[in-house]
Amino acid sequence: MHLARKSLRRLMAAGLVSGTVLATWTAAAHPAAARQSEASGTGGAVVRTAAQRATPAADALDRDALRGTLDAVRDAGMYGIYSSVRDGEERWEGASGVADVRTGRPVTPQMRHRIGSVSKAFTSVALMQQVERGRLDLDAPIARYLPGLVPGELGRAVTTRMLLNHTSGIADYIPGAFPSLVQNSPASLDDNRFERFTPEELVRFGLAGVPTGRPGERASYSNTNYVIAGLLLERLTGVEAETYITHNVIGRAGLRHTYFPRTPFVTGPHSKMYEALYGLIDPPRDYSVYDMSWAFTAGALVSTMDDLGTFYRALLGGRLVGPRQLAEMQRTVPFTDAQGNVLLNYGLGIYAQDWPCGRFWGHDGAVFGAGTVTLSSPDGRRQASLGINLMKYQHIDENGQVQIHPIDIAMARHMLVALCGTQAAPPSTLRAPAIPLFPTETLRPARA
């Protein structure tokens, strides 16, 4: 597929072709919402907030339906997908498709996976532990802790809270790290496979970009925020950010297969990770071997779908931070689409998303070739996490807009069954259009 130069540049400016983007796969709350979506011309679902509608409890796990909806994602064109779902002590895991398109090696549920921006929750938890210990004031200027890193008035205006909820106004570093992307070329993805970026270098790329607003003015998703957060963690603790997170977040949560890779290789059973870049890479190319220094504490972690559920149960259950710190993490900024629909509410490294059976907390992530989404009920009882090994498979229209793909709809159906069951909403809900991957840099906070 040919992409007009201005179309890809528009997407690049929006952050959609960055290594870690905020994304959502969901379905309409009920047929009326689907009709409202169609009438508004959004091409996606209307997501209602908890205050706007009742929130029935999720049904028990329907294993046959989970298996069927997972296979439907594969049938829609996804190379491989793996999923882990929990309802209390009841657990289901499944996988469908292939981990290697050349050999036909199948995917399995416990494969290690690059989880991209889901890493931000781990980084946020580590900093909230510093708040709990009195080492960090969320609303103090970043210049107090990292003098000179963010120079001048900007360093005196930006706070840690602004970094963690993406209201700092600092641009994303991705165009600086992968400059060919703004020139309709994937060349820098290949050129930089083994490039070792320093966090300070990534911050300089971000600071050199066009600011997305004044500090605190509005939300604009930027990976630079979480690289600065990692450097802040190092200054406060005196150890490498990866080391601190490994011992005090990953270890404390009891995760067995989650780690920061020290080499370009994923250790343990894993899939290849295929990137299509909206048709610029045809056929899609494997990027599973990659130096992840370009993501640092914004998105470098490897994990499994089951480990992600364990992490969120520990977080929401109060085992990683205290109740006051968790409450701060759950203070959110509403994000809306161009029509004003509230799509999700972003906190400090986690976001809230409303589904037909209630509100769920989590995050999603994308690196070149791999996507992840994980959501948990507020009590951590109902959870679903999925990973995919083909990214940016959608088409782009003449206006530079990402078009909904059957894969997006199929993933929404799977997540709906995983989170809410088959009885929580009318069957027509499962046929409702889904909201595809979208760039949060084009979103604005909802107005009161």
Side-chain angles (χ1 to χ4, degrees), residues 158 162-171 173 220-230 298:
V158 170
M162 292 176 192
L163 296 175
L164 298 183
N165 69 9
H166 296 293
T167 60
S168 71
I170 298 173
Y173 62 78
S220 183
Y221 195 80
S222 173
N223 292 293
T224 311
N225 291 322
Y226 274 78
V227 172
I228 297 173

Side-chain angles (χ1 to χ4, degrees), residues 137-355:
D137 181 345
L138 281 175
D139 297 307
I142 194 69
R144 175 188 296 182
Y145 306 101
L146 293 168
L149 180 68
V150 180
E153 182 58 32
L154 185 62
R156 294 187 290 272
V158 170
T159 67
T160 302
R161 187 186 302 277
M162 292 176 192
L163 296 175
L164 298 183
N165 69 9
H166 296 293
T167 60
S168 71
I170 298 173
D172 204 308
Y173 62 78
I174 296 296
F178 302 99
S180 74
L181 294 179
V182 296
Q183 300 171 346
N184 259 25
S185 168
S188 55
L189 270 65
D190 297 301
D191 293 343
N192 292 343
R193 270 182 185 260
F194 303 105
E195 181 74 18
R196 192 69 183 170
F197 293 103
T198 67
E200 292 81 4
E201 186 178 9
L202 299 177
V203 173
R204 288 195 294 271
F205 287 146
L207 292 174
V210 178
T212 59
R214 294 187 299 275
E217 179 183 16
R218 65 179 182 88
S220 183
Y221 195 80
S222 173
N223 292 293
T224 311
N225 291 322
Y226 274 78
V227 172
I228 297 173
L231 291 171
L232 173 60
L233 181 63
E234 293 185 339
R235 177 61 61 90
L236 294 172
T237 63
V239 299
E240 288 187 346
E242 297 97 331
T243 299
Y244 181 89
I245 293 170
T246 297
H247 291 299
N248 296 280
V249 182
I250 295 171
R252 192 165 165 181
L255 309 187
R256 299 177 58 193
H257 307 297
T258 302
Y259 62 92
F260 284 98
R262 294 292 184 173
T263 75
F265 299 91
V266 177
T267 60
H270 63 279
S271 171
K272 291 184 179 294
M273 302 170 191
Y274 296 94
E275 178 64 47
L277 201 58
Y278 307 112
L280 284 180
I281 304 174
D282 186 19
R285 193 173 303 146
D286 171 34
Y287 287 97
S288 57
V289 177
Y290 217 101
D291 187 309
M292 293 301 294
S293 60
W294 67 268
F296 189 47
T297 47
L301 277 173
V302 171
S303 189
T304 64
M305 300 308 102
D306 185 61
D307 261 13
L308 293 182
T310 301
F311 168 74
Y312 271 95
R313 286 196 302 280
L315 172 60
L316 297 171
R319 292 191 283 116
L320 298 181
V321 295
R324 291 179 60 184
Q325 287 67 46
L326 180 59
E328 291 286 357
M329 292 182 71
Q330 293 177 314
R331 288 179 59 183
T332 61
V333 177
F335 280 87
T336 64
D337 63 13
Q339 288 72 38
N341 297 310
V342 177
L343 300 174
L344 54 82
N345 296 276
Y346 200 94
L348 305 184
I350 60 175
Y351 62 62
Q353 195 177 77
D354 295 318
W355 285 69

Side-chain angles (χ1 to χ4, degrees), residues 30-178:
H30 47 65
R35 289 193 295 272
Q36 182 180 347
S37 173
E38 293 168 1
S40 70
T42 64
V46 174
V47 182
R48 297 172 178 262
T49 65
Q52 291 176 303
R53 51 165 173 70
T55 55
D59 299 323
L61 299 186
D62 185 329
R63 296 170 183 275
D64 289 340
L66 288 167
R67 176 77 254 174
T69 54
L70 197 69
D71 287 343
V73 179
R74 175 205 63 202
D75 294 343
M78 178 52 58
Y79 290 167
I81 179 171
Y82 17 92
S83 175
S84 177
V85 183
R86 280 183 178 264
D87 181 20
E89 297 302 315
E90 188 179 1
R91 173 184 170 190
W92 176 90
E93 288 187 323
S96 189
V98 298
D100 187 323
V101 297
R102 184 181 63 84
T103 67
R105 174 171 58 93
V107 287
T108 61
Q110 279 292 328
M111 282 187 155
R112 278 56 162 177
H113 189 74
R114 298 196 193 275
I115 63 171
S117 283
V118 180
S119 307
K120 290 179 170 64
F122 292 73
T123 302
S124 181
V125 165
L127 283 178
M128 297 309 292
Q129 290 175 350
Q130 309 316 304
V131 173
E132 194 169 24
R133 294 166 186 169
R135 297 174 178 170
L136 175 64
D137 181 345
L138 281 175
D139 297 307
I142 194 69
R144 175 188 296 182
Y145 306 101
L146 293 168
L149 180 68
V150 180
E153 182 58 32
L154 185 62
R156 294 187 290 272
V158 170
T159 67
T160 302
R161 187 186 302 277
M162 292 176 192
L163 296 175
L164 298 183
N165 69 9
H166 296 293
T167 60
S168 71
I170 298 173
D172 204 308
Y173 62 78
I174 296 296
F178 302 99

